[in-house]
């Protein structure tokens, strides 16, 4: 099976976690896009969604699915999203698609976090995928220096094909931090959160996944944390 077929399989399996007549939190990225396309088939069975990025909101609306402002939503049954890496405790690296801050906010409101990922994303120790950190633009260099002290090698994310900084939906910049071996994800998340100028870190450990639907050649495996 190709990676896209594995992503499609987990996206389809995630439909079983959609709670009828409720608001569903929807992530960002290629796996989340497959999920949105599956969700469109049962859109009449949900109240609506909250999107974790402008791109996700546009895709949901394109399917005629209602998108609510998070400020108008008091409760959310489930949040469904992909990951760049997930470990055996359900902690994740996210933000390869640049939406980490809104993903973290939407996930924090949801009762259950369902991660959908192809099998290549499951790792023993996270950090091979550079850890995204969203920062206030004027704090870029100061935060980068603090991340170097933590043992990482931060690199400013650029708009593809340019030398200009990539700008997130929130007006932030992204530092992709290579060289970290994340053996204590909660402790590292807490440390990076404390650096002044950080908007959010793409380490989802304090609030990790409750369930991971993992696409493998033998079928979709369900991991519970
Ligand atoms: C976006 C994310 C994505 O969930 C993550 O990058 C995985 O993406 P994909 O499903 O395309 O592999 O965190 O900010």
């Amino acid at each position: 099976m190709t990676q896209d077929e594995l992503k499609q399989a987990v996206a389809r399996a995630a439909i079983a976690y959609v709670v009828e007549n409720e608001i569903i939190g929807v992530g960002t990225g290629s796996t989340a896009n497959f999920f949105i396309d599956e969700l469109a088939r049962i859109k009449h069975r949900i109240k609506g969604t909250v999107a974790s990025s402008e791109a996700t909101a546009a895709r949901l609306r394109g399917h005629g699915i209602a998108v609510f402002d998070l400020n108008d939503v008091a409760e959310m049954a489930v949040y469904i999203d992909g990951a760049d890496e997930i470990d055996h405790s359900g902690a994740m690296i996210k933000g390869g698609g640049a939406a980490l801050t809104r993903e973290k906010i939407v996930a924090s409101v949801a009762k259950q976090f369902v991660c959908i990922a192809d099998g290549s994303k499951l790792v023993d120790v996270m950090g091979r995928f550079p850890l995204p950190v969203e920062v206030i633009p004027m704090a870029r260099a100061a935060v980068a220096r603090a991340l170097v002290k933590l043992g990482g090698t931060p690199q400013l994310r650029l708009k593809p094909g340019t030398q200009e900084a990539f700008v997130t939906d929130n007006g932030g910049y992204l530092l992709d931090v290579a060289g970290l071996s994340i053996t204590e994800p909660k402790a590292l998340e807490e440390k990076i959160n404390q650096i002044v100028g950080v908007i959010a870190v793409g380490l989802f450990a304090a609030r990790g996944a409750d369930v991971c639907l993992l696409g493998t050649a033998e079928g979709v495996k369900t991991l519970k944390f």
Side-chain angles (χ1 to χ4, degrees), residues 3 7 27-34 52-53 79 81-85 93-101 103 113 115-118 120-121 129 132 157 202 204:
Q3 202 176 14
K7 288 180 180 186
T28 297
S30 56
T31 319
N33 281 345
F34 283 121
S52 59
S53 64
Y79 177 72
D81 197 358
D84 298 303
E85 284 184 347
I93 286 184
K94 294 183 46 52
L100 60 143
T101 300
E103 289 173 342
F113 190 135
C115 173
I116 48 177
D118 67 85
S120 71
K121 308 287 182 68
F129 188 93
R157 195 179 298 185
F204 286 54

Side-chain angles (χ1 to χ4, degrees), residues 20-35:
E20 300 226 351
N21 302 314
E22 291 279 348
I23 293 186
I24 311 302
V26 184
T28 297
S30 56
T31 319
N33 281 345
F34 283 121
F35 171 69

Side-chain angles (χ1 to χ4, degrees), residues 9 32 51 53 57 61 75 96 135 138 157 165 188 196:
S53 64
R61 289 198 181 103
E75 283 197 341
V135 301
M138 73 167 285
R157 195 179 298 185
L188 185 63
V196 176

